[in-house]
Structure formats: structure tokens, C-alpha cells
Amino acid sequence: MIVAIDGPSAAGKGTLSRRLAATLGYHHLDTGLLYRAVGARLLATGADPADAEAAAAAARKLGPADIAREGLREEDVGRAASVVAANPAVRAALVEFQRRFAAQPPGAVLDGRDIGTVICPGAEVKLYVVASAEVRARRRHDELRGRGEPATYAAVFRDLQERDARDQARGTAPAKPAEDAIVLDTTDLTADEVFAQAIGIVRSRSS
Ligand code: C5P
């Protein structure tokens, strides 16, 4: 059983995916970490994330240890990730790893932007998690402040808008719901309410 959870940044995918995987006893992969790890490698070597060849080479060298490194959640890494993610050669280099991960028994939850459309089009459950831009920016802002990172709400809002635009406009695997995805709007829901809806959908598909 594969559960694909896609949607824009800070819509609640991560929290939901981790909880679903823990409840179901499934493996979980936050696929954003793959693009973040590629972005982080480039930043660490002083390369430009927009350098297509350097980014593709970094993606081909990526191993499981790279996605466990510290610092991948930082804002500059997220920005670099959204630049390298528009590079078709980077995306191509990361497909096999994600598909192998998804095939592990007894099941897997993968969250990202293109899991239901490109990586696992045959997933038994596809959710597309959304929330208003204001609520997403507020959540991300609170998260950053909670980690002690200085951030203004206005800067976080602008950054999310830029990243969404880049993710949706790219030619390869643009962020969008699969035709058979169920859209879950979390704007006015608590994390518990989102989880209750999602687990209900998963259980209805697995029985
Ligand atoms: O989800 P997260 O913010 O960690 O993802 C970082 C960036 O990686 C996103 O802005 C997006 O550009 C890219 N990404 C992607 N496809 C995925 C997961 C993430 O393009 N499946």
C-alpha cells in the first residue's frame, strides 16, 4: 500500500505523513529532503543552485546519509531546493530512489509535490493537502521562531509565494494534484482533525 501526500509548503503534509506512517506501521519518506540535500551540497561547495550540471552531478551522488544531515530545514536550503527541483536532470536522478522506497513492505507514506502524479501514479491513496497562503506563512513563521530563527512574517509569506510559483510553473513535474487525488484543505482544521480525515480515507481504501 502506497500513500502519496502532496501539496505546497507548510500545508501540514509533514505532520500528517509522519503520524499516518507511525499509526499504520509504514515507512515514511519526506521527499523534500532529497531536493534539500542536493541544494545543501551545492551551497556547501559554493556552487550556484541554478548551475544545471553541478546540480545534476550532486543529485546523482546523493545517498541515504545525505538526507539525515543537520541543517536541511533551514530557509536558505529550502530556497536552493526549490531551484534545483526545477531541473529535469535532478528530478530524473531521484526517481528510482523514491520508487524503491515506496515499494517496501508493508507500505509507505511519501510526501512531496509529485508523488501522486509522477513518482507513484498507481498509489492506492492520494491526498493533496492545501491551506490558505496566510495560514501556511503563519505556521512556517511560528515554526521558525520556535527554533529560535529570526524571521518576519512578511519575509516568510513572500518566500512561500515565490517557492509556490516556482514549483507550480516548472515544466517538469509541476506541483499539482493528481486527477484522482482527494484535496484536504487544512486552513481551519487542527492537526488531529486532519489526521482523522486522512486515516478514514486510508482505511476505506485498504478494507
Ligand atoms: O517540502 P519541502 O519544503 O521540504 O521541499 C523543498 C523544495 O523541494 C520544494 O519547494 C520543492 O521545490 C521541492 N520538492 C519537489 N518535489 C518533491 C518534494 C519537494 O519539487 N516531491
Side-chain angles (χ1 to χ4, degrees):
M1 169 101 157
I2 298 174
V3 181
I5 305 202
D6 291 303
S9 301
K13 302 187 301 290
T15 308
L16 174 62
S17 304
R18 278 189 296 277
R19 197 162 162 190
L20 281 175
T23 303
L24 296 163
Y26 285 6
H27 305 276
H28 170 234
L29 180 64
D30 168 358
T31 63
L33 289 177
L34 300 171
Y35 300 91
R36 285 174 179 267
V38 174
R41 255 179 185 257
L42 295 170
L43 294 179
T45 58
D48 182 352
D51 178 337
E53 282 190 16
R60 284 193 285 267
K61 281 194 217 117
L62 210 69
D66 291 302
I67 60 173
R69 286 192 206 292
E70 283 187 14
L72 295 182
R73 304 262 171 219
E74 282 169 20
E75 288 299 272
D76 58 335
V77 176
R79 221 166 292 128
S82 100
V83 174
V84 302
N87 177 336
V90 168
R91 303 199 74 84
L94 301 176
V95 168
E96 266 319 298
F97 177 85
Q98 294 174 81
R99 290 194 176 144
R100 268 204 309 276
F101 188 96
Q104 296 177 98
V109 180
L110 281 79
D111 69 273
R113 305 288 187 292
D114 63 339
I115 309 304
T117 50
V118 175
I119 303 296
C120 302
E124 284 81 359
V125 179
K126 296 182 188 178
L127 300 178
Y128 198 81
V129 182
V130 298
S132 74
E134 289 74 16
V135 162
R136 292 190 292 119
R138 174 64 54 210
R139 288 177 187 161
R140 175 56 53 85
H141 180 248
D142 290 349
E143 183 193 323
L144 290 172
R145 296 298 276 261
R147 294 205 305 245
E149 288 184 36
T152 64
Y153 172 82
V156 171
F157 185 85
R158 208 170 39 241
D159 198 60
L160 276 183
Q161 300 281 86
E162 268 173 33
R163 270 205 253 166
D164 286 356
R166 205 162 28 229
D167 290 348
Q168 285 158 13
R170 68 185 175 216
T172 311
K176 63 168 186 199
E179 273 177 20
D180 51 350
I182 297 175
V183 177
L184 248 179
D185 187 339
T186 71
T187 305
D188 298 315
L189 300 179
T190 63
D192 283 348
E193 289 167 336
V194 175
F195 174 72
Q197 288 200 17
I199 194 81
I201 294 166
V202 172
R203 294 227 153 101
S204 72
R205 296 292 166 90
S206 56
S207 56

